[in-house]
Amino acid sequence: MAVSSGFLRGVKLFNLLAFCVLFFSLVNFPTAEARVRRYKWEVKYEYRSPDCFKKLVITINGRTPGPTILAQQNDTIIVELKNSLVTENVAIHWHGIRQIGTPWFDGTEGVTQCPILPGETFTYKFVVDRPGTYLYHAHYGMQREAGLYGSIRVSLPDGKPEPFAYDYDRSIILNDWYHRSAHEQSAGLSSLDFQWVGEPDSLLIQGKGRFNCSRLASPTLDVAKVCNTTNPECSPYVLTVIPGKTYRLRVSSLTALSALSFQIEGHNMTVVEADGHYVEPFVVQNLFIYSGETYSVLVKADRNPTRNYWAATHIVSRNSTTPPGLAIFNYYPNHPRKSPPTTAPSGPLWNDARPRLNQSVAIKSHRDHVIPPPQTSDRVIVLLNTQNRVNGFMRWSLNNVSYNLPHIPYLIALKHNLLHAFDQTPPPDGYDFKNYDIFNVSENTNGTTGNGIYKLDFNSTVDIILQNANSMSNKTSETHPWHLHGHDFWVLGYGEGKFDIYNDPRKYNLVDPIMKNTVPVHPYGWTALRFRADNPGAWAFHCHIESHFYMGMGVVFAEGIDRVGKLPSSIMGCVHRN
């Protein structure tokens, strides 16, 4: 039988294609180029009932938490953000994204950009250069606690393995929730007649909680219009799992105040990632997590599949009256709304600090993913966390200096040499180590305000020692989660009591310390960090508790400003230029 020439050409073409497929599967060429991922967001106030209590919250495209950003390593993210808040400015920080080459898009009002004015549209553009679990949230005033936040999940390129296996990937944000607005709270904090924000009304798991509406009973209040437990908005968050499968839960905290524990009834959790870095795996029943931290834990659905289980979050480190936040760990095919047959787990004791410190110490870099720290540092800065009064106002301070942001953002002032924009005297590198008693209220609680910055030599290695102390309430020392913008740092160690600058550095872990961007300093204790000042820009370093940062608990580091490229005009709306 005759064979057509067209058929033969087809066979040859098929063989050539097969050879190409085989060749490209054998060589280590990337299978896909980095992509550009575009998002168009509108930020505005809307009435929502995340814990059954109706209030104005800030939404993104009608949602809180906002949309999850899903990307692969080295993708470019473009977010076109329209501010429809009518009377408020806004800025969004991309928490954990180092902004290498784009320091102006860090999203920190007063540090890296002017705020986005009402009615304006602003475009953020940056590269997500590392896989891991990250966040985004408001960084203007105290807007974060009004609901403006969400998740960023960055995966490895196709075909690249991780050092652990799982079947499904989920993100969960834990949050505390207040019924009073951020405006009311900030006004109270700023008043000479100081009004503390108090304990949160609820705890939310992925934007859902449950407030006891009967607590609102009042002859002058129509409770049903304000608080309705049948509202589907506040039905418990449901995490549905298939029996026998392993789940990667990316658990993040964006609390305004609270340190939390998180547990899943009857299930162990294996910690495998922290702030975008792989962890030498260890097992916990309770995961302690502080505002700004992210963890990945592996959970296997290996319990009795005929029932559902509770997932619960509790406040620790504060003697809080806030009830736990509850979600349903739903074994398919059980009904997702079917409550577990047990009472919710009670959680750890709020004032038992030892397990929290033990978890902090247990976090080490994965043995196959250790990034060795520099063995020595060029500069040591000790930051004493204190509570002070400044001209009668209650403030939080570092080395008795409370921070005020300037009117012109630092990045703009530094790049354009606007020396009048902020105090040119740097804040102190330490405090009176010998005489200061961290365990008692200071004899002199007065402090000062300032907006000077730490200028770091480019590519130098810097140690930061966070020293906790007594607050102005006797026998009270708070847990402070500290977040560094633009960098990851090595966590060299934790300790109890006063840091000994001569002897404690000998105890540092210089072998396999974890790298993070957010870390706690525990009550009456210290935490030692090390980082390289290798990212040109101006970067905030602050307590991630909303009220504490608002009250002055932060500093700014500047490095390599001469290496920063031309600033985009879009960030300079608050600067008058001739």
Side-chain angles (χ1 to χ4, degrees):
M1 183 174 67
V3 179
S4 71
S5 59
F7 175 80
L8 290 173
R9 285 195 301 272
V11 170
K12 290 178 181 178
L13 179 61
F14 175 84
N15 288 336
L16 178 61
L17 289 172
F19 170 79
C20 290
V21 169
L22 177 61
F23 174 77
F24 281 98
S25 68
L26 292 175
V27 297
N28 191 27
F29 288 157
T31 55
E33 293 182 0
R35 285 175 283 187
V36 175
R37 300 179 186 264
R38 299 178 182 272
Y39 298 85
K40 193 170 184 177
W41 291 353
E42 183 180 12
V43 172
K44 62 181 178 180
Y45 273 108
E46 298 184 85
Y47 279 104
R48 290 288 183 273
S49 305
D51 70 341
C52 307
F53 180 90
K54 188 177 181 180
K55 64 171 283 189
L56 277 173
V57 306
I58 301 178
T59 63
I60 298 176
N61 296 349
R63 297 167 56 183
T64 178
T68 297
I69 291 178
L70 299 174
Q72 285 187 315
Q73 184 179 9
N74 294 322
D75 284 354
T76 296
I77 307 299
I78 300 176
V79 178
E80 185 181 310
L81 182 75
K82 181 181 180 181
N83 179 8
S84 295
L85 295 182
V86 183
T87 61
E88 289 182 44
N89 302 331
V90 76
I92 291 186
H93 169 53
W94 314 96
H95 183 113
I97 306 301
R98 292 177 295 178
Q99 299 292 347
I100 296 172
T102 53
W104 43 79
F105 288 140
D106 184 56
T108 314
E109 183 272 332
V111 179
T112 61
Q113 72 167 94
C114 295
I116 307 166
L117 302 178
E120 281 191 350
T121 296
F122 184 92
T123 300
Y124 290 100
K125 182 179 180 181
F126 54 88
V127 173
V128 288
D129 64 303
R130 294 168 306 143
T133 306
Y134 308 105
L135 297 160
Y136 65 83
H137 59 79
H139 219 292
Y140 180 84
M142 293 174 63
Q143 287 178 342
R144 187 182 85 216
E145 66 176 73
L148 183 46
Y149 61 87
S151 294
I152 302 173
R153 188 193 306 173
V154 183
S155 59
L156 282 163
D158 294 338
K160 289 194 69 174
E162 292 186 283
F164 46 84
Y166 54 92
D167 299 298
Y168 298 101
D169 199 342
R170 300 286 186 269
S171 296
I172 297 175
I173 298 180
L174 308 178
N175 206 12
D176 49 12
W177 193 247
Y178 289 87
H179 294 165
R180 292 173 66 212
S181 72
H183 299 292
E184 293 175 280
Q185 292 191 35
S186 59
L189 297 174
S190 304
S191 173
L192 274 174
D193 181 20
F194 179 77
Q195 297 176 36
W196 175 235
V197 298
E199 296 302 310
D201 295 289
S202 303
L203 297 180
L204 307 183
I205 298 178
Q206 198 55 21
K208 290 176 174 287
R210 181 62 64 90
F211 179 73
N212 182 359
C213 295
S214 64
R215 292 173 57 187
L216 297 176
S218 167
T220 61
L221 181 68
D222 188 346
V223 174
K225 290 184 177 179
V226 177
C227 196
N228 180 5
T229 56
T230 65
N231 189 330
E233 284 185 49
C234 60
S235 58
Y237 175 69
V238 176
L239 178 66
T240 299
V241 298
I242 299 171
K245 299 297 184 181
T246 298
Y247 288 79
R248 178 182 187 171
L249 300 185
R250 300 175 185 254
V251 185
S252 307
S253 171
L254 278 176
T255 51
L257 173 67
S258 311
L260 299 176
S261 68
F262 176 75
Q263 64 193 112
I264 299 173
E265 178 191 9
H267 293 71
N268 288 334
M269 297 179 287
T270 302
V271 180
V272 294
E273 179 224 346
D275 290 0
H277 292 274
Y278 296 129
V279 169
E280 186 64 22
F282 65 97
V283 176
V284 297
Q285 281 76 47
N286 275 287
L287 177 71
F288 297 106
I289 186 166
Y290 308 91
S291 181
E293 286 193 312
T294 68
Y295 288 100
S296 285
V297 296
L298 301 183
V299 181
K300 188 169 184 180
D302 58 0
R303 295 298 185 262
N304 177 2
T306 64
R307 52 159 291 193
N308 291 336
Y309 297 81
W310 292 111
T313 185
H314 296 81
I315 291 177
V316 294
S317 190
R318 298 183 66 88
N319 189 12
S320 178
T321 57
T322 306
L326 299 176
I328 295 176
F329 198 68
N330 164 232
Y331 270 69
Y332 181 83
N334 299 322
H335 194 283
R337 302 298 178 202
K338 183 180 180 182
S339 291
T342 51
T343 57
S346 58
L349 294 174
W350 73 269
N351 57 353
D352 187 358
R354 176 57 56 180
R356 303 199 300 274
L357 180 60
N358 289 346
Q359 178 185 296
S360 293
V361 172
I363 302 172
K364 305 287 195 301
S365 286
H366 190 283
R367 64 186 65 184
D368 297 326
H369 296 271
V370 175
I371 302 174
Q375 295 298 292
T376 59
S377 66
D378 302 303
R379 184 176 179 182
V380 178
I381 300 172
V382 182
L383 299 176
L384 175 71
N385 295 197
T386 60
Q387 200 175 45
N388 297 85
R389 287 198 181 275
V390 179
N391 298 323
F393 293 91
M394 184 75 77
R395 303 281 295 191
W396 279 97
S397 308
L398 298 167
N399 299 335
N400 294 320
V401 179
S402 187
Y403 202 65
N404 281 333
L405 287 172
H407 295 295
I408 298 176
Y410 288 106
L411 185 63
I412 300 170
L414 288 162
K415 186 64 178 173
H416 292 279
N417 203 30
L418 305 176
L419 300 183
H420 66 281
F422 62 92
D423 185 355
Q424 296 301 300
T425 302
D429 276 20
Y431 69 103
D432 185 354
F433 308 104
K434 183 178 179 180
N435 296 313
Y436 194 95
D437 181 2
I438 68 167
F439 296 103
N440 290 290
V441 178
S442 174
E443 292 181 7
N444 181 6
T445 59
N446 291 326
T448 60
T449 57
N451 59 21
I453 64 174
Y454 292 99
K455 293 183 178 180
L456 308 177
D457 292 337
F458 187 67
N459 264 334
S460 64
T461 299
V462 182
D463 281 2
I464 305 295
I465 313 300
L466 296 165
Q467 175 66 65
N468 215 337
N470 209 91
S471 71
M472 288 176 61
S473 299
N474 201 25
K475 304 304 177 187
T476 300
S477 182
E478 307 220 9
T479 300
H480 299 288
W482 277 86
H483 172 56
L484 178 58
H485 293 223
H487 303 79
D488 291 334
F489 47 72
W490 290 274
V491 184
L492 300 186
Y494 300 86
E496 297 174 286
K498 187 187 291 188
F499 179 78
D500 184 335
I501 200 167
Y502 303 106
N503 295 310
D504 283 331
R506 299 174 185 172
K507 307 170 189 175
Y508 286 169
N509 176 12
L510 299 173
V511 177
D512 57 356
I514 190 63
M515 296 191 78
K516 295 181 96 271
N517 62 62
T518 306
V519 71
V521 55
H522 295 284
Y524 298 113
W526 56 264
T527 302
L529 321 174
R530 179 169 290 174
F531 71 97
R532 280 198 182 98
D534 58 0
N535 190 8
W539 308 106
F541 181 49
H542 62 93
C543 178
H544 214 258
I545 293 174
E546 280 278 68
S547 51
H548 290 186
F549 183 42
Y550 182 82
M551 294 165 66
M553 202 171 194
V555 295
V556 165
F557 299 122
E559 64 210 54
I561 296 297
D562 58 321
R563 299 167 183 259
V564 173
K566 183 179 179 181
L567 302 183
S569 60
S570 61
I571 72 168
M572 295 192 280
C574 58
V575 180
H576 297 291
R577 298 183 299 278
N578 295 327

